[in-house]
Amino acid sequence: MGKLITREEQQLENTWDLTTIFKSDEDFEAAYKVLEGKIADNDQFKDGFDSAEKLADALELERTLDTELGQLFVYAHLKHDQDTSNDTYSALESRARSLAVKYSTAWSFLVPAIMAIPEETLKEYAEHPRLSDFKFDLEKLNKQRPHILSDKEEQLLAAAGEVMHTPTQVYGMFNNADVDFKPAVDKDGKEHELTQGNYVEMLKSSDRSLRESAYINLYGEYNKFKNTLSQTLAGVVSTHAFSSDVRGYESSRQQALSNNHIPESVYDNLVNTVNDNLHLLHRYTELRKKFLGVDELKMYDMYVPLVEDTDFEMSYDNAKEWLVNALQPLGEEYVNIVKEGLENRWVDVYENKGKRTGAYSSGTYGTNPFILMNWQNNVNNLFTLAHEFGHSVHSYYSRKHQPANTSGYSIFVAEVASTFNEALLADYMFNKLEDKKQQLYLLNEQLEGFRGTVFRQTMFAEFEHAIHVMKESGEPLTAGGLSEVYGKLNRKYFGEAVNYDDAINVEWARIPHFYMNYYVYQYATGYAAAASLSKQVLEEGEETAKRYIDEFLKKGSSNYPIEILKNAGVDMTTSEPIKNALDVFEAQLTKFEELLADLQK
């Protein structure tokens, strides 16, 4: 492995072009100074809104300021992430964050002031031509009215927010700073440091002794603190129940899903449909047991790859070619946007000293998308590039076709476009590759992605709902009770091929997403929606691809996410998209079994 280069040693064509936001740091400073001077210039609106014109003035000004702030923030955070050791850009990002706080504080009066407008009056205002861009935003605010409390009650809840956040903060400190694991020991008796970050990588090791040791040592530590951790989790569930009760919702789940106007039937359809098809996951675990050749398949055998990533080198130049070819089903316009990104420095490609790890898509209204990569010459990085371009082109379309205030998109649909691109890439590569081992590798990655995202996240969702129902029905959340519920679910999902032990029963204690209030189900629904949409495009062709672009990628948050998906061809209020996704999994599993049989002849 070569010496890691510095930022200054990067070739310009391999870095993102931030001069498309500000030509120089000096231009950034000038824009910062201007925005800082006018960010709180809103006194004329603080006495309320007695006309649609005045409300339009406020919303247009707030949108302009928000757009300018977004551009400042994106420039600063990208400059920081390209070299986190650069103190100049660390300070720049810090100042941008401080300005964002000032902006949020200065305009915190806006929503309460709008809610002070009588409902029928606000509906009349929304018909004014100058408020056409904001009509949907105002509609969403009006729908919140039944759950808005009096001014004094709202102030009291806001003041209690820090206290109510304490269980999550305590858990975060424990899980990120205080918990310490014994080293894992490999088959040769060598010790390896065990951390949250490398645990799953150890479970992927071909050394079964190392996998078992990591598994036992990690869950053994959580087991020591299960009583304490049961109470931090119980504490956060209690805050959800309290909030939903005082705001007049029927349940914690109803309140959580109402934020994106998601019917509770979507949640139930996901859980019920996956449960009806658990035989597919059981078939996969049986295959895993047979392939690994073990007498007893254990939970620590679930991550080890069934196919090694052998002889599958992928340079960045080759990856660009694979990506462009794989996305052809989406049409010339879509592919040209991807080419523009590849050719005009949307992507910061290679690692350098101080560069932030991982990968992401960024940008804001008024800028092109930007993609951070830390390229390694393997096929996984190709899939990451496809994933991030899914986000980026989604953002490109929504910013081009929507006004700033509806150009973003909700978390419920955020992973659809990215996962969609991965599905097209996998299908294209499978059909083009002639090496059966490479085909098996691709299928193994897809099966694992589905297992980890649809099956596992649905299991998490089922657990999360179960413990909220327990709390809301007056049943105490104890370590024993949580472990019993989790253990039964784990056995139900993974089936009889697995030889279970009690260690996995306490896995609930290490999942931070259980503190995020009905969040995890969206991973599964997003993955399923992408699988269903990509299957439609591949089978039906140009018109379906056009519908996907026009009715999904271009819509931003101009409608409720469930309606945007429905117009694109996926009705998440029914079980059909989940069934379609499970059909894809079954087809991939069948292909995997057939290829494996051919290779073993």
Side-chain angles (χ1 to χ4, degrees), residues 430-480:
F430 184 86
N431 290 322
K432 287 293 180 181
L433 291 170
E434 296 180 358
D435 187 321
K436 289 185 177 181
K437 286 185 178 179
Q438 289 182 339
Q439 289 180 322
L440 272 174
Y441 176 81
L442 282 179
L443 286 171
N444 186 202
E445 290 296 300
Q446 291 175 275
L447 292 170
E448 279 299 290
F450 202 101
R451 178 188 69 80
T453 307
V454 176
F455 287 114
R456 182 170 165 82
Q457 299 299 329
T458 302
M459 184 181 80
F460 284 174
E462 194 168 350
F463 173 77
E464 185 175 16
H465 185 51
I467 64 176
H468 278 80
V469 170
M470 288 167 66
K471 175 63 185 177
E472 289 164 350
S473 63
E475 187 175 345
L477 298 181
T478 64

Side-chain angles (χ1 to χ4, degrees), residues 577-598:
I578 313 298
K579 289 179 179 176
N580 287 342
L582 289 160
D583 287 344
V584 171
F585 178 80
E586 184 174 19
Q588 291 169 348
L589 182 56
T590 299
K591 283 182 185 177
F592 190 89
E593 291 167 336
E594 290 171 350
L595 271 175
L596 200 58
D598 285 346

Side-chain angles (χ1 to χ4, degrees), residues 145-187:
R145 285 183 186 272
H147 307 291
I148 301 297
L149 307 177
S150 69
D151 288 346
K152 286 187 176 180
E153 289 170 329
E154 288 290 349
Q155 289 173 14
L156 183 61
L157 278 180
E162 186 175 354
V163 176
M164 294 172 69
H165 193 58
T166 296
T168 301
Q169 289 178 311
V170 171
Y171 175 77
M173 288 300 295
F174 172 84
N175 212 36
N176 296 320
D178 291 343
V179 67
D180 193 24
F181 308 108
K182 294 178 182 177
V185 181
D186 64 22
K187 61 183 179 182

Side-chain angles (χ1 to χ4, degrees), residues 513-534:
H513 290 82
F514 292 150
Y515 291 76
M516 296 173 68
N517 197 13
Y518 285 96
Y519 185 90
V520 293
Y521 83 99
Q522 296 170 115
Y523 289 118
T525 54
Y527 198 102
S532 184
L533 283 168
S534 60

